[in-house]
Amino acid sequence: MPLIQLIYMSRLAGHDETSLGPILSASVRRNTASGVTGMLLYANGRFLQALEGDESAVDETYARICRDIRHEDPLLLSKETITQRQFSNWSMGFRHMSEADARHLPRFAPWFRIGFESADISQANSVARDMLAFFKEEMA
Ligand code: FAD
């Protein structure tokens, strides 16, 4: 079974940040059971998430996530075979990105301040990867 990493972005529905905690706890519980690892970034009503694991587990998880009414407009940015996991220690790492993060990280600041914008990020896919990798190192 190939090992896959999938990255997508979406918008929080109804600006209801109280759903972040339950989303994260359900993610950790389900991913621990299915062997999925990854990282979820949140900024200003937008999500950016990496999921990795066996292809069937990642596909099932992503299909379930896409049906979730707590967010909207999921946009798949990439899905590729990997040789090793990038987020092996995280059943789901999470960072709620703040204005302080934006000040410390001017390179990524536009995405923190306005949220992840699909047009910008899909044209600069490497930025999404760089951000996910950066926060993994910071949280390690
Ligand atoms: P159930 O728990 O039966 O829920 C069915 C639906 O009810 C959900 O789709 C949701 O729309 C709604 N719902 C569930 N709980 C609540 C609640 N507390 N408040 C309001 N509505 C609710 N799941 C993973 O397994 N792994 C992940 O990495 C992951 N990442 C996510 C990232 C984002 C941005 C979002 C929005 C969701 C994510 N989820 C993730 C959650 C996923 O969408 C499912 O809710 C979860 O996997 C449970 O699936 P289920 O079929 O058991 O749904």
Side-chain angles (χ1 to χ4, degrees), residues 8 10 12 19 22-24 26-31 34 36-37 40 47 49-51 61 64-71 91-92:
Y8 78 92
S10 64
L12 178 70
S19 62
I23 286 171
L24 187 60
S27 303
V28 168
R29 180 172 47 80
R30 297 288 297 239
N31 294 350
S34 60
V36 169
T37 52
L40 177 63
F47 294 106
Q49 187 174 29
L51 298 167
T61 302
R64 222 170 40 241
I65 291 172
C66 286
R67 290 194 294 271
D68 196 319
I69 57 168
R70 291 173 289 183
H71 68 160
S91 53
M92 191 44 62

Side-chain angles (χ1 to χ4, degrees), residues 100-139:
D101 286 327
R103 279 196 299 276
H104 290 121
L105 298 165
R107 179 172 164 231
F108 299 141
W111 280 281
F112 295 4
R113 294 206 165 108
I114 59 173
F116 310 106
E117 283 294 336
S118 49
D120 296 339
I121 283 215
S122 49
Q123 276 165 30
N125 209 345
S126 64
V127 175
R129 291 175 180 290
D130 288 355
M131 257 193 280
L132 289 158
F134 178 87
F135 284 108
K136 178 196 123 185
E137 294 307 322
E138 258 230 333
M139 290 162 66

Side-chain angles (χ1 to χ4, degrees), residues 36-127:
V36 169
T37 52
M39 173 75 75
L40 177 63
L41 302 181
Y42 173 78
N44 261 331
R46 311 284 169 133
F47 294 106
L48 179 66
Q49 187 174 29
L51 298 167
E52 56 191 20
D54 287 345
E55 184 166 24
S56 61
V58 170
D59 285 348
E60 276 168 32
T61 302
Y62 184 57
R64 222 170 40 241
I65 291 172
C66 286
R67 290 194 294 271
D68 196 319
I69 57 168
R70 291 173 289 183
H71 68 160
E72 299 167 334
D73 301 336
L75 175 69
L76 184 62
L77 296 175
S78 64
K79 179 184 170 184
E80 49 190 46
T81 306
I82 50 175
T83 52
Q84 61 179 28
R85 292 174 191 251
Q86 194 180 355
F87 304 102
S88 54
N89 293 335
W90 303 97
S91 53
M92 191 44 62
F94 177 70
R95 177 80 168 220
H96 183 160
M97 302 199 311
S98 64
E99 185 55 36
D101 286 327
R103 279 196 299 276
H104 290 121
L105 298 165
R107 179 172 164 231
F108 299 141
W111 280 281
F112 295 4
R113 294 206 165 108
I114 59 173
F116 310 106
E117 283 294 336
S118 49
D120 296 339
I121 283 215
S122 49
Q123 276 165 30
N125 209 345
S126 64
V127 175

